[in-house]
Structure formats: C-alpha cells, structure tokens
Amino acid sequence: MPVFFVSDSTGISAETLGNALLIQFPDVRFERQLFPFVSTVEEARKVVQALDAAADGPVTPIAFSTLAPTELRDELRRTRCPLIDFFDIHMPRVESVLGTTGMRVPARLHGLGDVKRYNHRMSAIEYAIEHDDGQSLRALDKADVILIGPSRCGKTPTSMYLALQHGLFVANYPLVEDDFESTELPLPVRAHRRRCFGIVTTPERLSQVRQERRPNSRYASKEQCTYELRRAEALLRAHHVPSTNSATKSVEEIATVIMQTIHRRSRP
Amino acid sequence: MPVFFVSDSTGISAETLGNALLIQFPDVRFERQLFPFVSTVEEARKVVQALDAAADGPVTPIAFSTLAPTELRDELRRTRCPLIDFFDIHMPRVESVLGTTGMRVPARLHGLGDVKRYNHRMSAIEYAIEHDDGQSLRALDKADVILIGPSRCGKTPTSMYLALQHGLFVANYPLVEDDFESTELPLPVRAHRRRCFGIVTTPERLSQVRQERRPNSRYASKEQCTYELRRAEALLRAHHVPSTNSATKSVEEIATVIMQTIHRRSRP
C-alpha cells in the first residue's frame, strides 16, 4: 500500500505521526514515499499529481501531511488520495486551549532553531566521540552522564543518541577484568559516582554480540560474559549506581530510562 | 504553561507531535513533562492525578497522548486537563482507508522492532565512528555515503545522525590543503565518486566555528576559510558530486537532503 508523507520541512513529524498509526497494522506492507521541503503552491501541486496518480492505482493510498501554511494545505486538500492533515484537527484545539492563534508558518521543528542550543548538541556529539570507550579521561567532570558496563552492552550507541537528541555530554567507560578485582568503582570514574549510569545485558545477548566481533574467543564465551555481568551488577548495586538492562531495549528506550533517572536526581 | 506527554513507550512520538503544534506559538513559555512507559491502568491513574493537579493550577495545561491500548486511553480520558489523544481521531480514519482494524497495542515504534534492522543501525554507528574524519580508509567500499568537505562543515554530526536514524554506513573524509592542489578528487575517495556527497558552508560560519576550536589561527581566518570553500566547491562541481550548504541547516535537514539524493540516484 502506498503511503506518502508531505512536509514543509524534513518530514520527521509527518513520518512519526504516520508510522505511529501504521505500526498498528503489522500485516500490511507499506511503500513509503517522503515529500520534504514543500514550500510553494507549485510544489504542492506536483505532490497532488503524484498522490492522484497513486489514488488512481489498484490499491488505495494514504497521505500524512504536516504542512502548516494555509495556502499549501488548501492546495494539498484537492488530492483524491485519502489525506490525514495533522494541523486540520489539532491546531484549532490547541489554539482554543491557549486562547491565542498559532502562526501557521513552516516552523522547522527539526531545523537549527535556537543556535546556542544547536551548537551545544553538536559539541555533545564531539564530546561523545572523544570520550567513547574510555578513550579520553580528560574532562570527565564535564560529563552529564558517564555510562559504565562491560564491553558491548550498548554504551556507545546510547552515548551517541543522548548527545544527538538531547545534547547531553556523555562519556562511556568500559568495565574490564581489572575493574572486577576491586570492590571499588574504577579510579577514573570513582569521583563521579553520582553521574554514573550502568548498562548491562543478559549473558546470552552479550555472548551473541561478542561472537560477531571475535568468534569463538574467551571474550565471547558464555562463561566470561556471565562472570563479567555478575561482577558488574554487584559493583553497580554496591555503589548505588542506577542501571538498566539493554537486552530487549532499543537505544531510544535506554535513553528514555536514563533521562528519567537524571530528572529524578536533579529534583530537590 | 504546563505541557504533558503521555506514552506507553518512549514518548518520542508524543513529544514530536506535540512540539510540532507548540512551535507555532513562539511567544508562549512551555514547561514540559514526559510520562513514558505507561503500561497499566494503575499507572494511567497516577498520570491522571498529576494532570488534574496541574489543571487545578493557575494556568490551563495541555496533554498529548499516544497511548494505544483502549483501557489506558479510557482511563486517561477521565482527566480534567485538556487532552489531545493522537489515536482518537486518526486511528478510525486509517482503519477505514485500510478496511481493517488496527491492533491498538503498545507498539514500540521506537523499540527494538526488527532485530536485524536494529543491529544494522548499531553497526552503522560503529562504522561512522571508525570512519570519522578520514581515520580509517579500510572498507570505504562498504560505505553507503562518503561525506567530503573542508574541516568543520558538519560532516561528523551528519554521519552520526544518518547512522543512528537511517542505519546508513557513512564515512567522512576531510578535504585539506593538499587536496586543493589537485583537480582530481582525493585518491582514497576517487574510486567511490558516485557515493560521495559534499558538505560546504559559508566562510563566515566556517570561520566562526573554527575560531572556537583554534582562536586567531590561520586555520580559522576568513581568508583561509574562503579559499578552502571556493576550492572545495570547484572540486565538487567539476566531478559532479552533489552537495549542500550546511550554514543554515540542522543535521536533520542536511540528512533529509542526502537521503533524497540517494533515493534519486538509486532510481532506475
């Protein structure tokens, strides 16, 4: 089934809206097409042509639009394709709650926005790359979060996600054999205990992920993974470091758990 | 004004959709609070309590929900807080177009989903880190895209974003002085011309970004930035490498432009 996303900017919101609904129909195969940066009536007209062509095809398509300007929405509404116009219903509702009129202009939710905030996000990405895998121990006091856990539990992608989406300065520090011989947190992170967050997983999952990197190694063995995870969990527990199990979670879900923990911590 | 986002998973969709509406009211100050992972009626009841407390406050709040299960939505709907339920209106509409009933279960749009696809995204992040800043020239033939351009034009964050969001294998290669003495593309990327994409910016913006890294250096001087950008643009043009100017674009917007270019290229 053809699915169209129409937007005056990146289309991320239109895709989010559409996909949040379409995921409820796991048995249908969707062919998605994005029309981003639609900014003129002329461009909207071309989109309508493409949508109409699909509407005349064998399978009824559906289109999701987050176009904000009234003249573009008016143009798009001429299509014969079933259309879900995100602003159509929700905007008047929000306006009535706020008691004021929305601008109805292309607003670039995923644009540069506040430049200072944007630059901070970009610095956060650099910081995450520099402080990946315990590489640099400089400036750990600048970290908003220090992810700790055995190698290959998901620290790196989580760091990148937190930096990119939330502008957090995230360092990550792998717990290795030497660290397990002590009952203390590793020296480099010891002073930063309250900013640490643990990521662990299941022995099965860890062994599987490590197998891909170093097949049939001791490092990837079920025994070694079990040992490291058990020791890591004991260490985290002993030092009251909050943690999560990444085995069945996406980076987005792990990041959400971490953000909630940070918010709770920062509350008086 | 208090704003609440309620979700049975990460809340990314609820936040995206809510913020797409709220950005149309730039003069209002919003205080946002997220309730993720709401999965039981009991939890929904607690959310209603928090929303009601806000509704009894001095400023009328608003809540955005992407809860899917009917029993949770029924519970949430008891709140006195104005509520925008994204499934409420859209779901029946999509169902009628598809001629079938949606599952209405927590569907984890931002969850692990297809594990193979998810693992591919995770590999893409590793690849992006390994191939950042021309570090590794191994496996360039595995790259879906090779970003080229002068230092500090935005290649690194764009690589990370494309890897994280789209699972693309992205290498990035900085164009430096030596490269500008030739009219050919740099040797390591020459064989991969059709996978290259250029990122440039304005001399003003480049000089400003470089100043932060090395203040008052030749590297950050307006003259040097102007020279590098002019040479880079000539090189990209001469070899028909598509490119974009990052000066007023976010990584999300740059990534959208790149994705559109890739789709156009891959079409027969």
Side-chain angles (χ1 to χ4, degrees):
Chain A
M1 174 180 182
V3 177
F4 302 100
F5 304 103
V6 188
S7 168
D8 47 48
S9 58
T10 60
I12 293 172
S13 304
E15 288 180 321
T16 302
L17 168 69
N19 288 329
L21 291 161
L22 298 180
I23 199 173
Q24 297 288 335
F25 302 87
D27 299 332
V28 185
R29 240 192 98 243
F30 300 107
E31 289 135 43
R32 296 167 164 85
Q33 192 179 343
L34 169 65
F35 294 100
F37 304 121
V38 175
S39 60
T40 65
V41 170
E42 185 54 39
E43 284 166 340
R45 220 164 267 159
K46 278 188 188 157
V47 173
V48 169
Q49 280 172 18
L51 267 53
D52 283 351
D56 295 340
V59 183
T60 309
I62 191 163
F64 298 93
S65 164
T66 52
L67 287 181
T70 308
E71 71 273 20
L72 301 184
R73 293 175 51 217
D74 286 347
E75 192 59 42
L76 188 64
R77 217 174 303 155
R78 294 167 189 264
T79 181
R80 293 190 292 281
C81 173
L83 174 68
I84 292 191
D85 175 341
F86 177 68
F87 275 43
D88 198 26
I89 304 151
H90 300 309
M91 198 62 184
R93 182 76 203 286
V94 177
E95 287 177 334
S96 96
V97 174
L98 268 73
T100 176
T101 310
M103 296 202 305
R104 299 174 187 248
V105 295
R108 301 179 60 193
L109 178 61
H110 297 95
L112 275 181
D114 176 349
V115 172
K116 214 173 138 188
R117 214 182 111 89
Y118 182 79
N119 288 344
H120 187 81
R121 262 175 80 202
M122 296 306 109
S123 305
I125 296 170
E126 268 171 55
Y127 185 91
I129 294 174
E130 272 170 37
H131 293 80
D132 183 38
D133 211 22
Q135 270 186 73
S136 168
L137 301 174
R138 285 183 306 115
L140 270 193
D141 48 313
K142 263 197 190 172
D144 295 304
V145 190
I146 303 168
L147 302 180
I148 61 178
S151 158
R152 313 298 292 168
C153 285
K155 297 185 300 298
T156 296
T158 305
S159 305
M160 293 301 154
Y161 184 85
L162 285 168
L164 198 47
Q165 295 296 324
H166 297 287
L168 283 192
F169 278 51
V170 187
N172 76 70
Y173 186 86
L175 295 175
V176 295
E177 296 256 25
D178 285 356
D179 300 319
F180 297 133
E181 281 158 25
S182 167
T183 55
E184 293 296 320
L185 287 174
L187 196 56
V189 301
R190 201 173 294 167
H192 310 290
R193 184 184 62 83
R194 283 185 59 81
R195 273 175 285 158
C196 286
F197 192 96
I199 300 190
V200 292
T201 182
T202 58
E204 294 71 26
R205 173 81 183 146
L206 187 58
S207 173
Q208 185 195 332
V209 175
R210 287 183 172 186
Q211 277 289 350
E212 281 165 36
R213 174 153 283 205
R214 290 194 225 151
N216 305 319
S217 60
R218 173 164 168 277
Y219 167 79
S221 71
K222 189 77 172 296
E223 296 67 40
Q224 179 66 17
C225 293
T226 305
Y227 165 75
E228 290 188 25
L229 286 166
R230 197 179 297 148
R231 294 294 300 135
E233 280 162 14
L235 209 54
L236 294 168
R237 217 170 22 239
H239 296 280
H240 306 286
V241 174
S243 68
T244 194
N245 187 309
S246 67
T248 60
K249 290 195 190 82
S250 67
V251 278
E252 286 83 354
E253 291 170 323
I254 301 168
T256 303
V257 173
I258 294 173
M259 292 298 288
Q260 292 295 107
T261 308
I262 293 176
H263 284 157
R264 260 197 305 276
R265 271 184 194 164
S266 65
R267 252 178 248 160
Chain B
M1 173 179 183
V3 177
F4 302 99
F5 304 102
V6 187
S7 168
D8 47 48
S9 58
T10 61
I12 293 171
S13 303
E15 288 180 321
T16 303
L17 298 174
N19 287 329
L21 291 162
L22 299 181
I23 199 174
Q24 297 287 335
F25 303 87
D27 298 334
V28 185
R29 239 191 100 242
F30 300 107
E31 287 135 43
R32 295 167 166 85
Q33 193 180 342
L34 169 66
F35 294 99
F37 305 121
V38 175
S39 59
T40 65
V41 170
E42 185 54 39
E43 285 168 338
R45 220 165 268 158
K46 278 189 189 157
V47 173
V48 169
Q49 280 171 18
L51 267 54
D52 283 352
D56 295 339
V59 183
T60 308
I62 192 163
F64 299 95
S65 164
T66 52
L67 287 182
T70 307
E71 70 274 19
L72 300 184
R73 292 175 52 218
D74 286 348
E75 193 58 43
L76 188 64
R77 218 175 301 156
R78 294 167 188 261
T79 181
R80 293 190 292 279
C81 173
L83 173 69
I84 291 191
D85 173 343
F86 284 111
F87 273 41
D88 197 26
I89 304 151
H90 299 312
M91 197 64 183
R93 183 75 202 286
V94 177
E95 287 177 334
S96 97
V97 174
L98 267 73
T100 176
T101 310
M103 297 201 306
R104 298 174 189 245
V105 294
R108 300 180 62 192
L109 179 60
H110 296 95
L112 274 181
D114 176 350
V115 172
K116 215 174 137 188
R117 214 182 110 88
Y118 182 79
N119 289 344
H120 187 81
R121 262 176 79 202
M122 297 305 109
S123 305
I125 296 170
E126 267 172 54
Y127 185 91
I129 294 174
E130 272 170 37
H131 293 80
D132 183 39
D133 211 21
Q135 269 184 73
S136 168
L137 301 173
R138 284 183 308 114
L140 271 192
D141 49 314
K142 264 200 190 170
D144 296 304
V145 191
I146 303 168
L147 302 180
I148 61 177
S151 158
R152 311 299 293 166
C153 286
K155 297 185 299 299
T156 296
T158 305
S159 305
M160 292 302 154
Y161 185 86
L162 284 168
L164 199 45
Q165 296 297 324
H166 297 287
L168 283 191
F169 278 51
V170 187
N172 77 71
Y173 186 87
L175 296 176
V176 296
E177 294 258 26
D178 285 356
D179 300 319
F180 297 133
E181 279 158 24
S182 167
T183 55
E184 293 297 320
L185 287 175
L187 196 57
V189 301
R190 202 173 292 167
H192 309 292
R193 184 184 63 83
R194 283 184 57 80
R195 273 177 285 155
C196 287
F197 191 97
I199 300 190
V200 291
T201 182
T202 58
E204 294 71 26
R205 173 82 182 146
L206 188 58
S207 172
Q208 184 195 334
V209 175
R210 288 183 172 186
Q211 276 290 349
E212 280 164 36
R213 175 154 281 207
R214 289 193 225 152
N216 306 319
S217 61
R218 171 163 168 277
Y219 168 79
S221 72
K222 189 77 172 292
E223 296 67 41
Q224 179 66 16
C225 293
T226 305
Y227 165 76
E228 289 187 27
L229 286 167
R230 196 179 296 149
R231 293 294 299 133
E233 280 162 14
L235 209 55
L236 295 167
R237 216 168 24 237
H239 296 281
H240 305 287
V241 174
S243 69
T244 194
N245 187 310
S246 67
T248 59
K249 290 195 191 82
S250 67
V251 278
E252 286 84 354
E253 291 170 321
I254 301 168
T256 304
V257 172
I258 294 172
M259 292 298 288
Q260 292 297 107
T261 307
I262 293 175
H263 284 155
R264 260 197 304 276
R265 271 184 195 164
S266 65
R267 251 176 249 161

